[in-house]
Amino acid sequence: VSRQFTTDGFGRVIAIASIPSATHPDAVATQQFGYDTAGHRIWEALRTPGSPYGRPALPDPSVLAYSEFDYDLTGRVTQERVHVLETGEVLTKTNVYDDVGGTVTTTDRGAVTKNAYDGRGRLNSSTLPDTSVTSIVHGLGVDTATVQTNSKGNVVRIYKYDTRGLLTNLTTATGVSLYQTTYDDDGD
């Protein structure tokens, strides 16, 4: 199967269609994307093969999946709406950004996750809907992540990085290696 990409006048991909071949003769659904004047993707749809390009008006029998996105003035996604076509339900996920406090609060169908970041934009902590907290202490070439769960206490993982920021080692608090790797000069 080969793919055909269609772009708009700004070079943005607006459609991806699969072209059947002798080994894969069945047509595959087409992906379509729409953008606002700032270049943000504001909708995406998966449609039946051969559907004309355009933002669909639901219900539309050619639409297999459909999502919409809203952005703030800095280009961050503030809301994502996924349409459940079978039931007509809209699943909404919102992001609230607190630039002063360095936090992002995400609400996905009532479940709230709060992420806190340091001044360099690195994740410091993440509080999940079940109130478990992952805390991260950043060091030079090493990050220590502590997961505090509701029932089993703390789980500590130590992540070590090379000078390029590539993960080289993951250990427990007692030094038991869980993962170890090396990279060549190209980072492979």
Side-chain angles (χ1 to χ4, degrees):
V1 175
S2 60
R3 293 181 174 233
Q4 176 183 11
F5 294 84
T6 305
T7 57
D8 64 10
F10 297 103
R12 301 175 296 206
V13 174
I14 59 170
I16 304 172
S18 296
I19 301 170
S21 67
T23 57
H24 298 284
D26 297 329
V28 180
T30 300
Q31 293 176 279
Q32 296 182 353
F33 312 100
Y35 302 87
D36 64 12
T37 56
H40 304 117
R41 183 178 294 175
I42 57 171
W43 65 268
E44 59 185 50
L46 187 64
R47 300 181 84 170
T48 56
S51 297
Y53 175 78
R55 186 176 195 160
L58 299 177
D60 181 336
S62 73
V63 177
L64 305 173
Y66 183 68
S67 299
E68 298 173 301
F69 308 91
D70 294 331
Y71 297 83
D72 65 10
L73 294 174
T74 62
R76 300 175 296 194
V77 175
T78 57
Q79 190 173 82
E80 177 182 349
R81 292 174 304 284
V82 176
H83 295 261
V84 181
L85 302 174
E86 296 79 11
T87 64
E89 183 181 12
V90 179
L91 306 177
T92 302
K93 177 178 166 181
T94 60
N95 296 310
V96 176
Y97 302 92
D98 176 2
D99 294 330
V100 174
T103 62
V104 178
T105 304
T106 302
T107 305
D108 187 357
R109 293 173 272 166
V112 177
T113 300
K114 186 173 185 175
N115 293 321
Y117 298 87
D118 66 11
R120 295 175 60 189
R122 299 176 300 184
L123 183 64
N124 273 348
S125 68
S126 182
T127 305
L128 301 176
D130 67 355
T131 69
S132 63
V133 177
T134 300
S135 300
I136 302 168
V137 177
H138 301 283
L140 186 59
V142 61
D143 293 338
T144 303
T146 303
V147 180
Q148 180 183 3
T149 63
N150 292 338
S151 60
K152 300 199 184 217
N154 294 343
V155 177
V156 177
R157 297 290 183 255
I158 300 169
Y159 299 82
K160 294 185 181 176
Y161 302 91
D162 65 10
T163 56
R164 296 171 290 182
L166 300 173
L167 181 65
T168 58
N169 196 349
L170 171 61
T171 61
T172 65
T174 59
V176 175
S177 181
L178 301 174
Y179 173 81
Q180 188 169 355
T181 191
T182 57
Y183 300 94
D184 63 18
D185 291 340
D186 296 322
D188 295 327

